Amino acid sequence: MKVKGMIIVVIMMLCIPINAQAQSDKILVAYFSATGTTEKAAKLIVEVTGGTLYEIQPEKEYVAADLDWHDKSSRSSVEMSDAKSRPALNSKPDNFADYDTIYIGFPIWWNSAPRIINTFIESNDFAGKTIIPFATSGSSSISNAEKELQETYPDLKWQKGRLLNGATKEDIKKWTKK
């Protein structure tokens, strides 16, 4: 009986590092969504990866007039025409240091990531974290936004991003290999 009990204890002790290793990759799925499209993609990523959902919210919410890209004086047009623009955030994620992998989602604006994404990156310490961008767009690809982010933040550990227009749970599983 003592030998059997010792074997069980040894097996349990061997399993602890395996379980700890499997759980060490904490995932944060941070997204900015002005109309709800990117939010849907973010929620699918959370569903597949088991990550924590975090909405990147501006201090001042965007209204329809702010998003009118036909109006050169709209808030989004003004922000996107100024590479140094950094819209203020409403909050920061809790326990950011605990996450190893950060998915960052956004709509494509003017073939780029909205400036609030820069604010989010510059407001948090991404050292040692893996960053995976994802986006939604009516007509643009993610490639230019991805390139700009990598050039602006070359010291960060980027992985290939993906445009997730109309993505399904199966698409997300294939992309994340979960």
Side-chain angles (χ1 to χ4, degrees):
M1 190 66 164
K2 284 185 179 181
V3 173
K4 190 175 182 180
M6 297 252 311
I7 291 172
I8 291 172
V9 169
V10 169
I11 290 171
M12 287 173 55
M13 288 179 71
L14 289 172
C15 290
I16 290 170
I18 292 168
N19 288 336
Q21 188 176 21
Q23 293 175 358
S24 70
D25 189 30
K26 284 193 70 178
I27 297 170
L28 179 69
V29 180
Y31 72 94
F32 166 68
S33 186
T35 63
T37 305
T38 307
E39 178 180 24
K40 289 176 190 168
K43 287 180 175 179
L44 278 176
I45 294 170
V46 166
E47 199 175 316
V48 170
T49 65
T52 301
L53 189 66
Y54 176 77
E55 183 178 4
I56 300 169
Q57 296 178 321
E59 191 173 81
K60 180 184 174 209
E61 189 175 338
Y62 289 88
V63 296
D66 295 331
L67 304 173
D68 183 0
W69 58 276
H70 294 291
D71 179 359
K72 290 183 181 188
S73 64
S74 74
R75 180 174 161 202
S76 59
S77 295
V78 171
E79 289 173 2
M80 294 308 291
S81 66
D82 178 6
K84 295 189 185 315
S85 176
R86 298 295 184 267
L89 297 172
N90 188 35
S91 65
K92 289 174 70 171
D94 294 332
N95 307 316
F96 190 79
D98 295 345
Y99 295 98
D100 304 306
T101 301
I102 316 292
Y103 286 85
I104 300 179
F106 49 87
I108 301 290
W109 286 3
W110 291 262
N111 209 25
S112 300
R115 302 293 182 217
I116 195 163
I117 298 303
N118 299 86
T119 308
F120 177 74
I121 292 170
E122 293 168 12
S123 299
N124 293 285
D125 182 5
F126 282 83
K129 299 183 185 313
T130 299
I131 306 165
I132 308 169
F134 67 96
T136 56
S137 173
S139 60
S140 301
S141 76
I142 192 175
S143 60
N144 189 65
E146 204 171 13
K147 179 182 172 216
E148 285 179 352
L149 288 170
Q150 290 171 359
E151 287 174 356
T152 304
Y153 309 101
D155 296 335
L156 300 184
K157 184 179 166 188
W158 294 95
Q159 281 192 0
K160 181 83 177 122
R162 181 141 179 216
L163 193 66
L164 296 177
N165 291 346
T168 65
K169 194 171 174 179
E170 283 306 310
D171 295 331
I172 304 293
K173 282 181 184 178
K174 287 177 191 168
W175 177 50
T176 61
K177 296 176 182 56
K178 297 274 182 197

